[in-house]
Amino acid sequence: MMKKIRLIDTTLRDGMHAVSHQFSTEDVSAVVKALDDAGVDTIEVSHGDGLGGSSFQYGFSKATEEAYLKAAAGAMTNAKLCVLLLPGIGTHKELEMAANAGAKVVRVATHVTEADIGEQHIKIAKSLGMEAIGFLMMSHMVDVDKIVEQAKLFESYGADAVYVTDSAGAMIPTQITERIAAVKKAVSIPVGHHAHDNMGLAIGNSIAAIQAGADIVDGTCRGAGAGAGNAMTEVLVGVLDKMGYATGIDLYKIMDAADDIVMPRLHRPPMITKESLSIGYAGVYGSFLLHALRAADKFNVDARDILIEMGRRKTVGGQEDMIIDVAYELANRK
């Protein structure tokens, strides 16, 4: 029997980074309808930085998240509506709003060492009748034992699944294999992987994760996402089909969704550039890219130097404000 792999599409969440969070509600409806028709199991819709992310710090969305979620829910027939929540950016109020708007799944995303700050959100989600997934970001920054420890914490809080997330696109397949295999052995819940393509390894790392035991992987149509983007949903479907895994997704329909519906709506088609490659090489958060480009232009410095320095300082998501400080310091060294 073919092993079933659950594929969560996050074009309308991680892909928000590729359009500066400016998808319209009409865009959301059109994309969701195409993904649902193709057979995608779960569709994630949120600001690029999760519920509550629309702000001066992270960039304002074109519409409210409630409007996005209602548009998505109205366009779905079979898929489950998912949201992302980063504790401290999103709160229980946003989570309750999402549930009322039709969200059935929430991924509670914390830094890889901070699963404990997600405990209350996992429990609130469960009380709302939602599927709750623990999402360990920046998993390249710690050793395997720490990832296992944190995954077990999420499981103890009642999470239905746990993710090993390569937020920076910094890992190579052997590192993915080691981490996924260890977590899979340590927990009794499904294990997922979310890949970025900053070093050209998103598909390869997703396959490595599956071969190491992962049950869930993520993709975005045309790879839309932070940095150089994500593993392409349509490519994952084709590759997994050739490898003998079942996704339940129609290959032609997901190709059409990507090329005919999503691609025309992208402001910045994802690609590996010298800056996005630097993100993966330095191991910094994917959403730093646009902030670094703007700061580089403002202070007349090389964006690569900013990103490498941010990596040297071991910065994490939420520390975007440091990019200006780093750019200023680099400018004054000249």
Side-chain angles (χ1 to χ4, degrees):
M1 177 182 290
M2 297 171 67
K3 179 179 178 179
K4 177 68 186 297
I5 299 297
R6 182 181 182 185
L7 204 159
I8 296 181
D9 184 275
T10 182
T11 303
L12 295 169
R13 198 279 303 167
D14 216 328
M16 280 283 192
H17 290 293
V19 296
S20 301
H21 319 291
Q22 295 303 294
F23 280 133
S24 66
T25 54
E26 291 77 16
D27 293 331
V28 168
S29 294
V31 174
V32 166
K33 186 177 185 302
L35 294 175
D36 186 81
D37 185 55
V40 173
D41 177 270
T42 307
I43 301 170
E44 188 172 65
V45 180
S46 303
H47 183 278
D49 293 283
L51 295 176
S54 183
S55 62
F56 280 110
Q57 174 80 344
Y58 300 108
F60 287 102
S61 300
K62 187 168 188 174
T64 67
E65 280 178 325
E66 185 173 20
Y68 283 139
L69 293 172
K70 287 182 176 179
M76 285 182 179
T77 301
N78 299 305
K80 294 181 283 291
L81 178 57
C82 175
V83 292
L84 184 82
L85 183 145
L86 281 69
I89 298 176
T91 70
H92 69 94
K93 291 181 180 178
E94 284 83 17
L95 185 55
E96 289 166 359
M97 174 279 294
N100 289 333
K104 304 298 183 186
V105 184
V106 61
R107 303 204 288 187
V108 177
T110 73
H111 185 61
V112 67
T113 61
E114 298 177 350
D116 59 307
I117 69 171
E119 178 179 6
Q120 61 181 314
H121 305 87
I122 293 287
K123 291 179 176 178
I124 291 169
K126 299 302 293 181
S127 73
L128 293 169
M130 302 175 77
E131 178 185 2
I133 297 174
F135 204 74
L136 294 169
M137 299 189 296
M138 303 292 280
S139 293
H140 70 284
M141 295 186 73
V142 297
D143 61 26
V144 174
D145 289 342
K146 175 58 72 171
I147 296 172
V148 167
E149 170 196 282
Q150 298 294 301
K152 290 172 74 172
L153 282 178
F154 264 132
E155 182 180 35
S156 73
Y157 303 151
D160 297 291
V162 64
Y163 262 69
V164 176
T165 303
D166 188 10
S167 315
M171 288 193 277
I172 59 176
T174 52
Q175 293 173 305
I176 300 296
T177 297
E178 182 183 29
R179 285 160 170 75
I180 293 290
V183 172
K184 184 70 176 175
K185 183 178 179 180
V187 302
S188 59
I189 55 178
V191 175
H193 179 61
H194 176 98
H196 279 264
D197 207 34
N198 296 321
M199 296 186 72
L201 292 170
I203 295 294
N205 283 347
S206 297
I207 297 307
I210 289 169
Q211 291 179 324
D215 309 280
I216 319 167
V217 292
D218 287 6
T220 63
C221 288
R222 298 298 304 177
N230 298 52
M232 291 188 184
T233 300
E234 62 274 23
V235 175
L236 275 173
V237 171
V239 171
L240 291 175
D241 182 69
K242 291 196 74 170
M243 294 181 69
Y245 293 100
T247 63
I249 299 173
D250 183 282
L251 179 58
Y252 276 22
K253 288 184 177 181
I254 196 65
M255 287 176 174
D256 291 343
D259 280 20
D260 302 339
I261 306 299
V262 175
M263 185 61 181
R265 290 173 162 83
L266 294 182
H267 302 172
R268 181 179 60 84
M271 64 180 69
I272 300 172
T273 64
K274 58 187 178 183
E275 292 88 8
S276 58
L277 174 57
S278 297
I279 284 175
Y281 182 79
V284 296
Y285 200 52
S287 64
F288 284 9
L289 178 59
L290 293 180
H291 296 277
L293 289 171
R294 292 175 187 135
D297 183 63
K298 181 176 180 178
F299 291 97
N300 193 30
V301 296
D302 193 322
R304 291 172 293 182
D305 289 336
I306 297 173
L307 294 165
I308 295 297
E309 179 62 19
M310 293 292 285
R312 190 188 68 78
R313 297 186 186 189
K314 299 188 183 302
T315 55
V316 300
Q319 293 183 304
E320 285 84 353
D321 56 327
M322 285 183 63
I323 291 173
I324 293 292
D325 294 336
V326 167
Y328 177 77
E329 290 175 18
L330 290 171
N332 285 333
R333 290 178 192 173
K334 291 184 174 182

